[in-house]
Amino acid sequence: GEEAVSGRVPAQADGADVPPRELAVGGTQSGEAAAERGGLEGPRHADLRDEDAVDESYREFGTQMKRQDLDVDEKADKVLRVNQGTYVTSAAHLERSKRKTLVLQCYWRGYIARKRTWAVRQRLYERQVAEELKGEAELQQLARKQQFEVERRVNPKSKRDFELSYDELDAWRLAELQKIDDDTIDDDTKKRLRKKDVLARETKALQALDRLKAKATVRGKAKKVDAILDLMSRPKQWEASNGEVHEVHTPFTTRAHELKDLYRALLDVGPGSSASSKSHRAAVQDRLQMLLNVKWTVQEFDCPLTHDIVDLCDREADLLSRGRPEKHLDGLRRRIANLFLQFIETPEFNPEAARFLKVPNLHRQPGAAYYCALFLLSVRVATVRVGTSSHGREATEPSLSSPPVRSPPSGGSGVTT
């Protein structure tokens, strides 16, 4: 199938002075060689042609074939081999293109089908995983709900929890009584005994609910006090011109924060007598130091409340120095904590407490302005003592800068002057 095409370049004729690189197959001369010699683009340029010009090349012939009377030098000839292959008609070429196209389409459609299949499998897998996660989340939510319902019945905390417990107890009582009344086997004596047993069980359940309510009330009050103390000690927030919010600690908030720390230290009781002697002595020393800080804090003001707090702190310090058990000091410590909480809630001692005072509802009441003025005076003066106190100190009535308040006229609303 391969055909050789030979282009032979004959040897130079005598007297010809032509460089070998300027020879071309077919006897033609390139335009580049002519441009190098004459600076022109070539002999075929349109600007060089005219009627008188004669196109003559530097060679008298282009390709000389072999013949008997001529010796041709074939040393510089090159054999050009072109792989032409078999001759193919247009119909065969079109048919082969169709076959190749079908192969490409088969591979491409297979790739698209596999891609779609994997996409469907991925969606099914993700749906299955989502359903499993949803089922697990529902089971966990149901378990949490059941645990919450059990917890709110075993350890009720809010008013709604106690109402639910009372309603269920009443429903249980009615169901038991109805069951006893519908029983036709027992006589009246046995029915009365069964009803008596139901009553005893109901009484016991009510007593348990009352104890739980008392504990919940104490916890709720402590939680409310902690929230109020946190609000008192919270720094002020100021919004700058650029939109940023800055927290600023004022002397009042700093004072409230110190009082809050002292109050929580009063409630934080160290290890009891069951602990080791070393830790017990360390706890006693810490308690004495904390009581001393409380005394220094309240002694800045001279009033019955601060005197009571100082006396109770001295009493607890004396009992601790004598080595009294911790359980004998619970009542005393509660009294100190309650009095110090009153100290914190007084605006004269803690200015931040003025924001949390409860103003009574004075609308639609006779003498509204009169009682409002009395309330404002009570806010400004925590305690007015006249005479001699229990500590042997003489208390004088504080002077008020506000004008006197007249009593409200009878039969009408109060008017202040």
Side-chain angles (χ1 to χ4, degrees):
E2 294 184 358
E3 296 180 359
V5 179
S6 300
R8 296 185 178 84
V9 180
Q12 297 179 3
D14 297 336
D17 189 9
V18 180
R21 61 183 179 84
E22 296 178 2
L23 298 178
V25 177
T28 60
Q29 182 179 2
S30 65
E32 295 179 359
E36 289 179 0
R37 289 192 303 270
L40 300 177
E41 295 182 3
R44 296 178 180 270
H45 198 275
D47 296 339
L48 301 178
R49 294 179 183 177
D50 52 11
E51 297 179 358
D52 299 334
V54 179
D55 295 336
E56 292 184 357
S57 63
Y58 291 94
R59 296 289 298 270
E60 285 79 4
F61 54 86
T63 302
Q64 179 62 50
M65 305 301 295
K66 286 184 178 181
R67 61 186 186 184
Q68 297 180 357
D69 59 344
L70 181 61
D71 186 13
V72 179
D73 187 8
E74 298 179 351
K75 294 180 180 181
D77 293 352
K78 296 180 181 179
V79 179
L80 304 178
R81 298 183 180 273
V82 181
N83 186 10
Q84 297 180 354
T86 35
Y87 181 77
V88 180
T89 61
S90 61
H93 177 70
L94 181 60
E95 184 67 22
R96 184 175 63 181
S97 301
K98 289 182 179 180
R99 291 198 305 270
K100 300 296 182 181
T101 304
L102 289 176
V103 173
L104 292 176
Q105 289 179 352
C106 289
Y107 281 106
W108 174 252
R109 290 173 181 175
Y111 165 73
I112 295 298
R114 288 190 296 272
K115 187 177 179 180
R116 292 179 179 175
T117 303
W118 279 109
V120 172
R121 291 176 181 173
Q122 185 68 20
R123 287 197 298 271
L124 292 177
Y125 173 74
E126 292 177 355
R127 183 183 302 174
Q128 181 180 359
V129 172
E131 291 178 355
E132 293 178 357
L133 293 177
K134 183 178 179 180
E136 294 178 358
E138 291 178 354
L139 291 177
Q140 293 178 0
Q141 184 178 3
L142 180 61
R144 287 194 300 267
K145 185 177 180 180
Q146 293 176 354
Q147 182 66 24
F148 173 73
E149 294 295 334
V150 172
E151 182 66 21
R152 70 185 301 190
R153 285 165 175 80
V154 174
N155 189 15
K157 298 178 181 179
S158 62
K159 182 179 179 180
R160 175 58 183 165
D161 295 344
F162 285 101
E163 291 179 356
L164 180 62
S165 299
Y166 284 124
D167 292 342
E168 290 183 352
L169 180 60
D170 188 62
W172 171 83
R173 180 183 61 83
L174 294 176
E176 291 294 327
L177 293 179
Q178 185 67 30
K179 188 185 299 183
I180 293 172
D181 293 336
D182 295 341
D183 191 0
T184 58
I185 299 176
D186 296 338
D187 54 2
D188 294 340
T189 304
K190 292 184 178 180
K191 287 183 178 181
R192 283 196 298 270
L193 292 177
R194 292 176 62 182
K195 289 182 179 180
K196 184 177 180 180
D197 181 61
V198 170
L199 179 61
R201 294 170 63 183
E202 181 186 7
T203 303
K204 187 177 180 180
L206 288 174
Q207 292 175 355
L209 286 176
D210 290 339
R211 289 192 298 268
L212 292 175
K213 182 181 291 187
K215 293 180 180 179
T217 302
V218 173
R219 288 196 301 265
K221 183 179 179 181
K223 186 176 180 180
K224 183 178 180 181
V225 169
D226 290 340
I228 292 177
L229 293 179
D230 291 335
L231 290 175
M232 288 181 184
S233 60
R234 181 179 298 177
K236 306 296 182 181
Q237 294 184 350
W238 301 89
E239 184 176 359
S241 59
N242 56 359
E244 296 182 358
V245 178
H246 301 281
E247 294 184 351
V248 180
H249 290 274
T250 63
F252 293 164
T253 58
T254 305
R255 169 75 173 177
H257 192 276
E258 294 174 354
L259 294 177
K260 179 188 71 173
D261 293 340
L262 286 176
Y263 177 74
R264 290 181 176 177
L266 283 173
L267 297 179
D268 186 13
V269 181
S273 58
S274 60
S276 62
S277 59
K278 185 176 180 180
S279 61
H280 178 68
R281 286 195 300 270
V284 169
Q285 294 297 327
D286 295 340
R287 182 72 181 182
L288 291 175
Q289 182 65 34
M290 186 269 302
L291 292 174
L292 186 60
N293 292 335
V294 172
K295 287 178 58 178
W296 289 344
T297 302
V298 300
Q299 281 180 349
E300 299 176 2
F301 306 93
D302 187 11
C303 68
L305 179 62
T306 59
H307 297 163
D308 293 340
I309 294 175
V310 170
D311 289 344
L312 293 178
C313 289
D314 292 337
R315 187 181 305 176
E316 182 181 355
D318 182 59
L319 293 176
L320 287 175
S321 62
R322 295 181 182 182
R324 291 300 182 91
E326 296 286 338
K327 61 181 181 180
H328 294 170
L329 304 176
D330 291 340
L332 180 60
R333 287 172 175 174
R334 284 197 298 269
R335 289 182 60 189
I336 296 174
N338 292 333
L339 291 178
F340 192 72
L341 180 60
Q342 294 180 16
F343 180 84
I344 295 175
E345 292 175 349
T346 306
E348 281 73 15
F349 311 137
N350 182 19
E352 283 293 325
R355 299 191 295 117
F356 300 92
L357 291 177
K358 293 183 179 180
V359 180
N361 186 12
L362 303 177
H363 299 288
R364 300 178 183 178
Q365 294 182 2
Y370 172 75
Y371 293 115
C372 182
L374 288 182
F375 177 77
L376 293 177
L377 291 178
S378 65
V379 170
R380 297 182 56 189
V381 182
T383 307
V384 177
R385 301 178 59 211
V386 180
T388 305
S389 64
S390 59
H391 300 277
R393 301 184 182 90
E394 204 167 314
T396 59
E397 183 176 357
S399 60
L400 303 177
S401 59
S402 58
V405 181
R406 297 180 182 178
S407 58
S410 59
S413 61
V415 179
T416 59
T417 58

